[in-house]
Amino acid sequence: MSTRNTAAEKLLLQMVDDYTAREVAPLDMAIDHAQDYPEGFMKKLTETGFLGLMLPQEFGGAEFGPEVTATVLNHLARGNASTAVTLEGHFKTIDQILKFGTPALKQALLPSANQRIFAFSMTEASGGSNPMGISSTATREGDHWVINGDKIMITNGGLAQVYCVLVKTAPDQLSVFVVDQDMPGFSFGKREDFIGLRGTPVGEIMMDHIIVDDDHLLGHLGDGGLIGDSAHDDARILMGAVLTGIMEHELKIATDYAKERKAGDKPLTELQVTHRKVADIAMRKETTKLLYQRAAQLKAAGQPYSEEAAMAKAHGSRAAVAAGDDALQILAGYGYSREYPVEHLIRDARAMEIAEGTVEKMRSAIATAEFQK
Ligand SMILES: Cc1cc2nc3c(=O)[nH]c(=O)nc-3n(C[C@H](O)[C@H](O)[C@H](O)COP(=O)(O)OP(=O)(O)OC[C@H]3O[C@@H](n4cnc5c(N)ncnc54)[C@H](O)[C@@H]3O)c2cc1C
């Protein structure tokens, strides 16, 4: 919960909790099994107004700050992590348009951002960890730019209408442009068959001679690395929040089960081995929560938050996988069954050791920040 904890924030979180309990949590297992959101699910989510939570009021948004935005995803993820990750991909993209877009671009795109989904596209078949390895290009022709290239593994790919795309504007220069699925030359490729977060569409986008003007450039030519890093930082706070929600879900399943299940004539709650597992899940959940909230508070205060955001996701993703493993062991045979949700929570959490920068890259970023102190 935000440290400000205003009446508007309380009301919002109550709405999110009601919505999650009514419309999201009951579908959690079905979303995983179907590998998609059910018909009408995204329409209902759009109608909640959650898509515009962080948008400034001038663009029709509710203008909630980073702590509240992250906490909303934390609460949604208690019901279904995919839903929260769809919003994570949307929010981090809006953030970059707010930070780096021209006034004309903001005016053109942001009033619709509480109705349309946005996505941020960097990864290509040649690799995600090394942005300089991409081959998509934007080439100057007369007074406009021509964009060509394919992106893969894009969160909300196929669902989103608006895409920020990292391209080369010179052999050693990265820049970010904004394209729209309605532009001639834009098309979708395959959807990834990922093992976790199976509701969130993650897919390929293809750009064949898309023509845009200068207003579609974010920041300046050559700002691509900076904007990509900024998108990662913003995303990692939100993923820390999602991972906290996953661990809250894991903890609830484990404790509910331990209260009911007997080992001999004693409930599992009386076994010290259960205490260790439940305590470890609770500590992992709480440390991740503190990390994402700390990063969000620094962001809200206008202070650097890159290292703290990396910690929230690096720690949280490993913690949620380990917590899921402990929860699975408490449920034992049932935990290993696809009829119970623990196994898909582990698969969901595992995605976040890769998406928005791998844990290896984040450890490098954290260590580099420490060496500089
Ligand atoms: C669920 C999900 C959602 C995603 N959503 C998006 C999205 O919205 N937008 C987008 O652009 N991409 C997205 N991705 C792609 C993701 O960003 C990449 O998978 C990730 O950056 C790693 O790239 P790669 O898979 O090509 O692995 P590689 O870069 O090939 O890395 C392979 C291995 O080498 C290690 N490695 C590579 N370079 C280094 C280094 N310098 N230091 C230390 N270790 C290194 C990596 O950690 C990894 O273990 C998503 C991926 C997933 C799983």
Side-chain angles (χ1 to χ4, degrees):
M1 182 69 187
S2 156
T3 48
R4 281 179 295 141
N5 201 9
T6 64
E9 291 169 4
K10 275 189 184 162
L11 190 65
L12 170 69
L13 287 179
Q14 189 55 55
M15 273 177 55
V16 172
D17 288 343
D18 292 346
Y19 182 80
T20 303
R22 200 179 58 246
E23 304 286 350
V24 180
L27 297 171
D28 182 51
M29 294 287 284
I31 288 171
D32 179 67
H33 290 175
Q35 197 180 355
D36 210 346
Y37 298 127
E39 182 85 29
F41 183 83
M42 282 309 301
K43 183 170 180 289
K44 274 192 192 165
L45 185 65
T46 304
E47 285 165 1
T48 59
F50 297 161
L51 267 57
L53 278 184
M54 56 165 301
L55 272 182
Q57 287 177 9
E58 61 175 307
F59 302 118
E63 206 163 337
F64 283 107
E67 296 166 75
V68 181
T69 309
T71 304
V72 166
L73 297 199
N74 175 179
H75 286 214
L76 268 173
R78 293 171 182 169
N80 177 255
S82 292
T83 311
V85 168
T86 284
L87 289 182
E88 171 268 323
H90 175 71
F91 289 151
K92 71 148 183 218
T93 310
I94 292 178
D95 238 337
Q96 308 325 307
I97 295 171
L98 280 169
K99 287 183 198 174
F100 300 104
T102 62
L105 185 75
K106 290 181 195 173
Q107 206 51 59
L109 292 177
L110 295 181
S112 68
N114 57 8
Q115 296 296 320
R116 303 202 294 170
I117 305 278
F118 287 41
F120 203 96
S121 319
M122 294 195 271
T123 304
E124 298 189 3
S126 54
S129 301
N130 173 23
M132 285 310 291
I134 64 167
S135 15
S136 293
T137 55
T139 314
R140 191 76 179 164
E141 285 185 15
D143 62 352
H144 56 263
W145 293 93
V146 179
I147 301 178
N148 283 292
D150 294 349
K151 298 282 176 186
I152 62 165
M153 300 187 199
I154 305 309
T155 298
N156 296 333
L159 174 70
Q161 286 90 359
V162 178
Y163 294 81
C164 289
V165 291
L166 184 77
V167 293
K168 282 192 170 165
T169 35
D172 56 355
Q173 186 184 64
L174 295 170
S175 303
V176 175
F177 286 83
V178 184
V179 298
D180 193 300
Q181 68 155 8
D182 293 331
M183 289 177 171
F186 187 101
S187 60
F188 295 120
K190 76 167 174 122
R191 176 176 171 149
E192 301 295 340
D193 186 10
F194 278 160
I195 61 167
L197 295 176
R198 283 165 73 83
T200 317
V202 180
E204 189 178 8
I205 64 164
M206 281 144 5
M207 300 172 290
D208 179 14
H209 215 80
I210 296 180
I211 295 175
V212 294
D213 60 23
D214 285 330
D215 268 332
H216 287 76
L217 172 70
L218 285 191
H220 302 101
L221 286 177
D223 280 350
L226 171 84
I227 297 169
D229 287 349
S230 165
H232 274 152
D233 290 345
D234 293 327
R236 289 168 188 174
I237 297 177
L238 299 173
M239 282 203 164
V242 175
L243 288 157
T244 303
I246 290 177
M247 282 184 269
E248 286 164 341
H249 193 174
E250 291 167 341
L251 186 58
K252 175 143 184 31
I253 294 166
T255 51
D256 284 352
Y257 187 81
K259 285 180 209 165
E260 293 296 324
R261 183 74 170 179
K262 290 221 164 41
D265 55 357
K266 282 183 182 173
L268 292 187
T269 49
E270 289 187 24
L271 299 181
Q272 211 172 28
V273 286
T274 311
H275 296 173
R276 187 203 64 77
K277 292 186 185 75
V278 168
D280 282 356
I281 299 171
M283 287 191 289
R284 293 186 189 109
K285 179 261 297 175
E286 210 53 33
T287 46
T288 304
K289 184 174 175 180
L290 290 169
L291 283 169
Y292 95 70
Q293 290 187 340
R294 169 81 183 131
Q297 283 160 12
L298 288 169
K299 179 177 171 180
Q303 291 175 27
Y305 55 94
S306 183
E307 185 183 3
E308 290 75 9
M311 285 181 181
K313 192 177 89 80
H315 174 78
S317 53
R318 186 84 309 245
V321 171
D325 196 47
D326 276 339
L328 187 154
Q329 194 66 12
I330 289 173
L331 272 72
Y334 295 114
Y336 197 63
S337 166
R338 290 197 71 209
E339 285 180 31
Y340 288 77
V342 182
E343 61 84 26
H344 94 69
L345 296 179
I346 298 174
R347 289 187 275 109
D348 290 352
R350 189 66 180 79
M352 286 173 264
E353 293 194 82
I354 300 165
E356 307 298 358
T358 62
V359 280
E360 291 83 3
K361 289 274 293 188
M362 280 180 296
R363 286 215 162 80
S364 289
I366 294 164
T368 304
E370 291 299 324
F371 292 142
Q372 285 166 352
K373 285 179 184 170

